[in-house]
Each structure stands twice: as structure tokens, then as C-alpha cells.
């Protein structure tokens, strides 16, 4: 088997093929896409690449000794008919270990998605045929750089070429990508960050909570120069309000969830402490600072003096964290911050006298 066989000689044997081919609806989109394409001198060559059984067989052959031969065959459709190849690739069945399939999809489909001249109907059809694959490709396009400019391009593709699909992307299994995209979209008014975050955290999964904390670490904590934090939150696509909301929700789920691992809870505590070292004014944003400070210190002093037990303080922390009372929420934040700070001096504590 060779490129000439697929692209020319076999046409007369395959033009009336009645097996598994792309649907008439998709075929019409292909005809529309290539009807005025003078670069395709022989329109009949398109027919062979519409046969799903043939492409599946080629992909299967590539898993063995014919990998290089099969890859060579695909050079022609990649260069001349990437639209057809994209539609076929998202339509066929394949095994997870089909390396060439993954290679082809990541080479061809991003070009279709990012092309400014591409027919939107074609992009929507590719999405409709295999949503999971397209989300995976978006994640792959994001991973190498993970820069704001790259995220901006992906957001524009989703917003302009795949309207109404943003909720699917921000709720995908690719946690770091979905978190980054959600924060970016929220900053531009396309997503209610508070509502999205609360809904995602109801499942209390380690991977998702860690992804949020990693985002803060990568884009805020690691970017701090030590001299000035001016513009840091803006560059991270955050505001003091959104950052506070993210931390409060993470602390809340870490306090109350029995599903989260201790490793994730420690991660949350570490990020919480680092952020409040950078933004001390983030913890309290009302005029009752003195009152809250006094009440929180009273609780801590009572615990240190042995007037109340550690367990009762933990119960109070959980209660205040879940409270609908904003004042109690702020006492909760103040207490958590104070406890984390005090932990730094724990090794200096004298041994307890019997």
C-alpha cells in the first residue's frame, strides 16, 4: 500500500463503496468547502478520504511495522484536504494506543480551529462529532506555554467559533486548563466565578482543589518580586475580591470535607498563609476590624489558657466557616490566619508542665 494507491489508483474501486463512510450531511459540508478550491485538481481524490473504514484500517496498520509508511500516506490529505481529514478523524473509532491518530489530530485540528478563514459551520461540526477530543486538543494547545496570550487565543476561539460551549470547557476534567479559562472568562464578565467555584467544589476532588491552588501559586505567589506587588493580581486575571472568594471557598471545603486528602488540605493551608503574607489587608474588608480582632484573640487566648478545648475551637472554626453571617466568616478567616502564623513559632514553645 502506498500514497498513490490511496489517492488515485484505488478511486475506481472505492467510488461506489457502500461500507462505513461519512454521512451525507457532512459530505455536503465538504462539497461546500471544496467546490471552489482550484488547488484540488482531481475532485475524485476526495472520495477515498471520506471512507471511515479505510482510515480506521490505516490507523490500525500504523500501530505495527507500517507506521512510517502509513504516516507518509497521510501527508497528502494533511497538505491538501485538512478539513476532510479533520472530519474523518473525529468520526472514526480508534484504540487509545494509536499513536499516529493522536499525532494526526494534534497536527491537523488546531490549524482548523485557529484559521481565521475557516468556515464556522465546519468547526461546529467537528465539535459536534467529538466534543471530548476537541476539549483534549484545547488542553494540549494550552499546556506547552500556559501563558495569558495563549489562553486569550483559545478563549476567542471558544467564544467566537463555538458559542455557548464555555460551560463545558470550564467543567472539563482538565482541571488546570478549566480553572485558568474560568478565571479568564470571569474577569471579562462571561462567567460568574463565585457560582462556578461553589458548584465545582461541591464534589470536593483533590485534583480540582489542587489546580486552583496551583493557579494562585503560579500566577500570584511565584510572581511576587518582594519589592512591589503592584499589578500582580491584574496580570493574574484576579481582583482582591475574586482572590478572597477563591481562598474562602477553598478553606471552607478543606475544613468540612472528609473526601479531600491531608496532602491537599496542607497545600491549601500553605497557599493561604503565603497569600496573606503578601496581602495582609485581604482578610478583613469592613469597618469592624477591631471588634473582630478582639473576639478572635479572645477565642485563641481562651484555648491557650486551657479555658476551652482545642476540639471546641475546631468546632467553632467549622461553624464560623459555614455561617451565613459575614462577621463570623471574617472571624473564621482571622483565626485561620493567626493559627498558621503561630505555627511558625511552635518549635519554640516550652514543654507543657504536668
Amino acid at each position: 500500500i502506498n500514497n498513490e494507491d490511496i489517492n488515485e489508483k484505488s478511486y475506481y474501486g472505492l467510488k461506489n463503496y457502500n461500507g462505513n463512510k461519512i454521512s451525507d450531511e457532512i459530505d455536503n459540508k465538504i462539497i461546500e468547502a471544496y467546490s471552489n478550491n482550484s488547488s484540488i485538481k482531481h475532485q475524485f481524490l476526495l472520495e477515498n478520504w471520506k471512507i471511515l473504514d479505510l482510515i480506521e484500517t490505516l490507523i490500525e496498520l500504523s500501530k505495527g511495522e507500517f507506521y512510517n509508511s502509513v504516516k507518509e500516506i497521510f501527508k497528502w490529505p494533511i497538505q491538501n484536504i485538512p478539513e476532510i481529514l479533520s472530519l474523518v478523524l473525529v468520526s472514526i473509532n480508534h484504540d487509545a494506543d494509536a499513536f499516529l491518530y493522536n499525532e494526526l489530530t494534534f497536527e491537523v485540528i488546531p490549524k482548523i480551529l485557529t484559521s481565521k478563514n475557516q468556515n464556522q459551520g465546519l468547526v461546529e461540526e467537528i465539535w459536534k462529532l467529538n466534543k471530548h477530543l476537541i476539549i483534549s486538543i484545547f488542553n494540549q494547545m494550552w499546556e506547552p506555554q500556559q501563558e495569558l496570550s495563549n489562553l486569550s487565543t483559545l478563549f476567542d476561539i471558544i467564544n467566537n467559533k463555538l458559542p455557548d460551549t464555555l460551560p463545558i470547557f470550564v467543567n472539563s476534567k482538565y482541571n488546570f486548563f478549566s480553572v485558568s479559562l474560568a478565571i479568564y472568562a470571569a474577569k471579562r464578565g462571561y462567567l460568574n466565578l463565585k457560582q462556578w467555584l461553589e458548584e465545582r467544589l461541591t464534589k470536593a476532588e483533590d485534583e480540582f482543589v489542587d489546580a486552583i491552588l496551583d493557579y494562585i501559586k503560579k500566577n500570584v505567589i511565584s510572581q511576587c518580586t518582594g519589592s512591589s506587588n503592584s499589578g500582580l493580581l491584574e496580570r493574574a486575571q484576579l481582583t482582591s475580591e475574586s482572590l478572597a472568594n477563591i481562598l474562602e471557598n477553598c478553606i471552607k471545603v478543606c475544613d468540612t470535607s472528609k473526601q479531600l486528602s491531608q496532602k491537599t488540605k496542607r497545600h491549601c493551608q500553605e497557599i493561604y498563609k503565603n497569600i496573606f503574607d503578601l496581602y495582609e489587608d485581604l482578610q478583613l474588608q469592613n469597618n469592624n476590624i477591631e471588634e473582630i480582632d478582639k473576639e478572635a484573640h479572645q477565642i485563641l487566648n481562651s484555648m491557650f489558657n486551657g479555658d476551652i478545648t482545642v476540639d471546641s475551637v475546631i468546632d467553632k472554626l467549622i461553624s464560623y466557616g459555614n455561617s451565613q453571617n459575614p462577621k463570623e466568616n471574617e472571624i473564621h478567616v482571622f483565626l485561620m490566619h493567626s493559627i498558621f502564623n503561630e505555627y511558625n513559632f511552635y518549635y519554640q514553645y516550652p514543654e507543657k508542665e504536668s
Side-chain angles (χ1 to χ4, degrees):
I1 189 169
N2 56 51
N3 204 17
E4 186 181 8
D5 289 332
I6 295 294
N7 291 320
E8 191 160 353
K9 288 182 179 179
S10 60
Y11 168 68
Y12 297 100
L14 294 173
K15 66 177 181 178
N16 295 318
Y17 182 78
N18 294 319
N20 190 18
K21 300 176 67 175
I22 58 176
S23 67
D24 291 340
E25 180 183 356
I26 299 175
D27 197 22
N28 290 334
K29 292 184 181 295
I30 291 173
I31 293 172
E32 180 184 347
Y34 287 98
S35 59
N36 298 318
N37 191 336
S38 59
S39 65
I40 307 298
K41 296 180 180 180
H42 304 291
Q43 293 292 326
F44 68 80
L45 296 182
L46 304 181
E47 295 301 318
N48 296 341
W49 291 100
K50 299 176 185 178
I51 300 174
L52 303 185
D53 289 338
L54 175 62
I55 310 306
E56 286 179 2
T57 301
L58 287 172
I59 295 296
E60 187 63 26
L61 286 170
S62 74
K63 293 162 62 177
E65 60 184 294
F66 300 111
Y67 172 84
N68 289 327
S69 299
V70 175
K71 185 175 181 179
E72 184 69 23
I73 290 171
F74 277 99
K75 284 185 177 180
W76 188 87
I78 288 173
Q79 295 172 358
N80 296 280
I81 52 171
E83 292 86 354
I84 291 181
L85 187 56
S86 295
L87 286 166
V88 171
L89 288 172
V90 298
S91 301
I92 65 173
N93 297 314
H94 68 94
D95 295 330
D97 62 345
F99 179 78
L100 182 61
Y101 176 85
N102 297 325
E103 194 175 4
L104 290 171
T105 54
F106 192 61
E107 181 174 357
V108 177
I109 294 178
K111 294 178 182 178
I112 302 297
L113 295 173
T114 56
S115 173
K116 295 181 179 179
N117 300 320
Q118 193 54 252
N119 183 298
Q120 181 173 330
L122 188 64
V123 175
E124 291 178 350
E125 189 65 34
I126 290 172
W127 165 258
K128 184 170 66 175
L129 287 167
N130 200 329
K131 296 181 178 65
H132 296 298
L133 175 63
I134 302 308
I135 293 172
S136 171
I137 289 173
F138 267 87
N139 180 61
Q140 291 179 65
M141 292 167 69
W142 158 245
E143 279 189 333
Q145 295 177 315
Q146 297 187 350
E147 299 294 338
L148 178 59
S149 58
N150 190 22
L151 188 63
S152 174
T153 299
L154 299 179
F155 174 78
D156 288 342
I157 295 171
I158 295 170
N159 195 40
N160 297 326
K161 295 185 178 182
L162 295 170
D164 303 321
T165 64
L166 181 63
I168 300 176
F169 280 93
V170 298
N171 288 296
S172 75
K173 66 179 181 179
Y174 303 102
N175 289 305
F176 193 76
F177 172 61
S178 68
V179 167
S180 303
L181 183 63
I183 291 173
Y184 185 91
K187 186 70 182 296
R188 281 148 188 77
Y190 287 89
L191 183 74
N192 185 322
L193 185 63
K194 185 176 185 295
Q195 180 181 346
W196 170 80
L197 192 59
E198 289 175 351
E199 289 175 356
R200 289 289 314 252
L201 286 172
T202 55
K203 297 180 181 179
E205 297 174 337
D206 284 321
E207 293 80 4
F208 179 70
V209 176
D210 282 329
I212 298 172
L213 300 172
D214 286 340
Y215 181 92
I216 295 173
K217 182 177 181 178
K218 180 180 187 295
N219 294 284
V220 181
I221 297 171
S222 296
Q223 300 300 318
C224 179
T225 61
S227 56
S228 173
N229 298 329
S230 177
L232 190 58
L233 293 182
E234 180 68 24
R235 291 192 295 274
Q237 307 302 302
L238 293 165
T239 64
S240 58
E241 291 78 14
S242 62
L243 179 58
N245 181 260
I246 290 171
L247 289 172
E248 287 170 4
N249 276 281
C250 287
I251 287 292
K252 180 178 179 179
V253 75
C254 285
D255 283 347
T256 59
S257 174
K258 295 182 180 179
Q259 301 175 36
L260 290 180
S261 67
Q262 290 302 314
K263 181 179 178 182
T264 296
K265 292 182 179 182
R266 287 193 297 270
H267 188 193
C268 187
Q269 294 168 356
E270 175 190 348
I271 297 299
Y272 183 95
K273 179 183 180 301
N274 289 338
I275 283 296
F276 282 109
D277 285 343
L278 294 174
Y279 299 99
E280 293 183 359
D281 59 339
L282 194 65
Q283 57 183 313
L284 300 171
Q285 297 182 10
N286 64 24
N287 297 321
N288 299 320
I289 293 178
E290 292 185 3
E291 181 181 347
I292 291 168
D293 180 276
K294 180 180 178 181
E295 187 166 342
H297 273 102
Q298 184 178 357
I299 293 171
L300 292 174
N301 288 334
S302 296
M303 179 181 68
F304 292 139
N305 293 332
D307 298 331
I308 58 176
T309 64
V310 173
D311 287 343
S312 64
V313 173
I314 292 174
D315 291 340
K316 193 177 290 290
L317 275 170
I318 295 173
S319 174
Y320 282 3
N322 294 327
S323 175
Q324 300 298 315
N325 185 328
K327 178 184 174 182
E328 291 185 345
N329 292 156
E330 290 175 345
I331 293 173
H332 166 85
V333 172
F334 186 95
L335 285 169
M336 293 297 296
H337 187 212
S338 298
I339 291 170
F340 290 143
N341 277 340
E342 192 66 26
Y343 179 75
N344 292 326
F345 306 101
Y346 181 76
Y347 72 96
Q348 297 178 358
Y349 281 20
E351 292 187 12
K352 186 175 180 181
E353 296 180 2
S354 56

